[in-house]
């Protein structure tokens, strides 16, 4: 460019002596235009030299959705809180509600069975002991002249029936139930239960899980009293068996066979009671003790008596979207999806209400460059 300007100056100086003023002005304007064009081309060349080559392309925006991270789950967590508050508003205002859980429901049924079995066996033993006492008095040696009292034939089959009932009851203790969790977020139900307790705690009779009243001394003491009464009747039965066996040893012939059959039937019943009492594990305070577990579930049954049953299923998914671009940099967006379906029942199974809800939170942009400053700020509500 310098050579061009010097040549133009020399060439303009040579004819300047003979050229007219108009021609000189035109030549000056032409030289200025050519100089401006040269400067523009030089600046363009410099700009192109700084840019990538023509065949290089800018990075296209890419979306990474390979996983649902905890960051995206935070948005789904917010949706769960909103759905719980919305569901609390739709519940009948004059009724208590308990959350349904298959394991807890099964535990309540078994606990009622154990509680009823304790009372029933104590009553049955009391009746049997009264009948055996009369039989012993009627068949004592001093009563030889009297008409001997015979036990009903049905009584001799009762111990076998009781033993079978005890075996069926023991099988309830061995029941193992497993539930399949949701595809994402195994604690979604527990989260929703806590969210409902946060929104309407006075409306819920139970959350069907967690603490269930095992520290209630009164309820556990009542069960232990039932076990004690059963033990007293068992001890009375054992004394009667000893007395009947003594009568059998002193008897002869058909009378000896009759008394021996009565003693055998009473012994079978005694073994059935011992098997049932041993299965209760009354001396243990752990999940392996049916009596301890019975106390827990009976408390839940008492609290939820007459309450509506809410069957809930919730699916939460969090979505993390990361966009990476050469010019705009990285951008992070968080979103959440919640699917909720529920059914409200009467205790007898009648359907009161059913509904399915869906919520999708709008994506929230997160500035990655400001994460350090954001972490340093105190949390705000």
């Amino acid at each position: 460019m310098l050579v061009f300007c010097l040549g133009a100056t020399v060439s303009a100086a040579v004819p300047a002596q003979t050229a007219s003023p108009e021609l000189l002005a035109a030549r000056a304007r032409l030289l200025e235009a050519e100089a401006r064009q040269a400067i523009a081309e030089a600046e363009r060349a410099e700009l192109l030299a700084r840019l990538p080559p023509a065949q290089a392309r800018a990075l296209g925006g890419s979306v990474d959705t390979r996983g649902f991270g905890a960051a995206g789950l935070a948005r789904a967590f917010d949706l769960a809180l909103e759905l719980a508050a919305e569901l609390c508003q739709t519940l009948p205002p004059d009724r208590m509600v308990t959350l349904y859980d298959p394991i807890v429901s099964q535990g309540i049924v078994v606990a009622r069975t154990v509680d009823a079995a304790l009372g029933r066996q104590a009553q049955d033993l009391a009746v049997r002991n009264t009948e055996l006492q009369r039989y012993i008095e009627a068949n004592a040696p001093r009563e030889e002249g009297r008409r001997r009292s015979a036990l009903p034939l049905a009584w001799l089959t009762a111990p076998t029936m009781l033993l079978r009932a005890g075996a069926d009851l023991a099988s309830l203790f061995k029941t193992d139930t497993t539930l399949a969790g949701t595809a994402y977020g195994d604690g979604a139900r527990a989260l929703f239960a806590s969210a409902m307790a946060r929104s309407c705690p006075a409306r819920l009779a139970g959350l069907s899980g967690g603490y269930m009243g095992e520290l209630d001394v009164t309820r556990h003491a009542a069960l232990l009293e039932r076990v004690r009464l059963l033990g007293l009747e068992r001890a009375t039965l054992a004394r009667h068996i000893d007395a009947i066996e003594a009568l059998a040893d002193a008897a002869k012939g058909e009378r000896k066979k009759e008394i021996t059959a009565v003693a055998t039937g009473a012994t079978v019943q005694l073994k059935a009671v011992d098997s049932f009492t041993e299965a209760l594990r009354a001396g243990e305070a752990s999940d392996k003790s049916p009596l301890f577990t019975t106390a827990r579930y009976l408390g839940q049954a008492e609290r939820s008596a007459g309450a509506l049953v809410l069957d809930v299923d919730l699916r939460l998914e969090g979505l993390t979207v990361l966009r990476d671009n050469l010019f705009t940099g990285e951008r992070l967006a968080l979103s959440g999806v919640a699917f909720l379906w529920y059914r409200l029942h009467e205790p007898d199974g009648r359907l009161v209400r059913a509904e399915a809800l869906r919520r999708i939170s709008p994506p929230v942009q997160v500035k990655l460059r400001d994460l350090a400053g954001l972490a340093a700020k105190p949390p705000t509500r």
Side-chain angles (χ1 to χ4, degrees):
M1 183 176 179
L2 180 60
V3 173
F4 174 78
C5 294
L6 291 175
T9 305
V10 173
S11 61
V14 172
Q17 299 176 357
T18 58
S20 62
E22 293 81 3
L23 181 58
L24 292 176
R27 286 180 178 179
R29 289 193 298 271
L30 178 60
L31 291 175
E32 291 178 359
E34 291 176 351
R36 287 194 300 269
Q37 182 179 1
I39 293 173
E41 291 179 356
E43 292 177 350
R44 179 174 177 274
E46 182 182 1
L47 180 61
L48 290 176
R50 295 179 180 180
L51 292 176
Q55 63 271 17
R57 297 182 180 179
L59 295 177
S62 61
V63 181
D64 184 6
T65 60
R66 289 173 296 179
F68 300 109
L73 184 59
R75 297 291 295 161
F77 178 89
D78 297 337
L79 290 179
L81 298 181
E82 295 176 6
L83 287 173
E86 181 178 344
L87 182 55
C88 281
Q89 295 177 358
T90 61
L91 295 177
D94 55 342
R95 296 287 299 276
M96 296 292 291
V97 175
T98 181
L99 291 178
Y100 172 73
D101 187 276
I103 294 180
V104 175
S105 298
Q106 183 182 10
I108 291 176
V109 173
V110 175
R112 288 172 177 170
T113 304
V114 174
D115 186 44
L118 280 171
R120 185 179 64 254
Q121 290 205 21
Q123 294 175 1
D124 291 345
L125 280 183
V127 174
R128 299 295 182 265
N129 285 327
T130 302
E131 294 175 353
L132 285 177
Q133 182 64 34
R134 293 174 183 173
Y135 182 81
I136 293 172
E137 294 175 355
N139 290 276
R142 65 176 181 275
E143 301 291 340
E144 193 68 30
R146 282 188 171 184
R147 178 177 175 270
R148 295 189 181 95
S149 174
L151 290 176
L153 296 179
W155 188 90
L156 296 178
T157 61
T160 305
M161 297 171 59
L162 183 60
L163 184 62
R164 185 181 303 111
D168 294 340
L169 187 61
S171 66
L172 293 176
F173 302 151
K174 300 178 181 179
T175 303
D176 186 14
T177 304
T178 58
L179 292 179
T182 56
Y184 177 76
D186 293 335
R189 280 180 58 89
L191 165 64
F192 190 75
S194 298
M196 287 198 65
R198 173 176 176 263
S199 299
C200 50
R203 307 291 306 284
L204 299 179
L207 299 181
S208 296
Y211 176 70
M212 298 176 62
E214 54 265 28
L215 297 181
D216 189 351
V217 180
T218 304
R219 187 177 298 105
H220 198 263
L223 286 175
L224 290 178
E225 179 64 19
R226 286 180 177 269
V227 175
R228 189 187 69 84
L229 294 176
L230 181 61
L232 292 177
E233 295 297 337
R234 187 264 180 203
T236 303
L237 178 62
R239 291 195 300 268
H240 287 163
I241 293 175
D242 293 338
I244 294 174
E245 289 178 347
L247 291 176
D249 293 339
K252 297 179 181 180
E254 294 297 327
R255 183 167 177 264
K256 183 180 183 66
K257 292 181 180 180
E258 175 189 342
I259 298 176
T260 302
V262 173
T264 302
T267 302
V268 172
Q269 185 174 17
L270 183 68
K271 292 181 178 180
V273 174
D274 290 342
S275 177
F276 174 72
T277 306
E278 183 180 357
L280 290 177
R281 297 187 180 183
E284 297 184 14
S286 65
D287 293 338
K288 296 181 180 179
S289 171
L291 192 70
F292 175 78
T293 306
T294 297
R296 297 181 70 233
Y297 285 109
L298 284 180
Q300 176 68 19
E302 293 174 5
R303 290 189 299 271
S304 59
L308 296 175
V309 181
L310 179 63
D311 188 7
V312 176
D313 202 348
L314 177 68
R315 179 184 177 93
L316 296 176
E317 291 188 359
L319 180 61
T320 303
V321 182
L322 180 64
R323 297 180 182 272
D324 189 4
N325 191 274
L326 175 65
F327 298 100
T328 60
E330 292 183 348
R331 292 185 179 180
L332 178 64
L334 305 178
S335 180
V337 181
F339 301 96
L340 172 69
W341 53 99
Y342 70 89
R343 293 170 291 275
L344 192 63
H345 297 270
E346 290 284 352
D348 58 3
R350 287 177 297 162
L351 181 65
V352 178
R353 180 181 302 150
E355 192 172 353
L357 303 174
R358 180 199 67 180
R359 294 292 184 272
I360 302 176
S361 63
V364 175
Q365 296 291 336
V366 178
K367 296 181 180 180
L368 298 178
R369 296 180 179 178
D370 297 340
L371 287 181
L374 182 62
K377 296 180 181 179
T380 57
R381 293 186 178 181

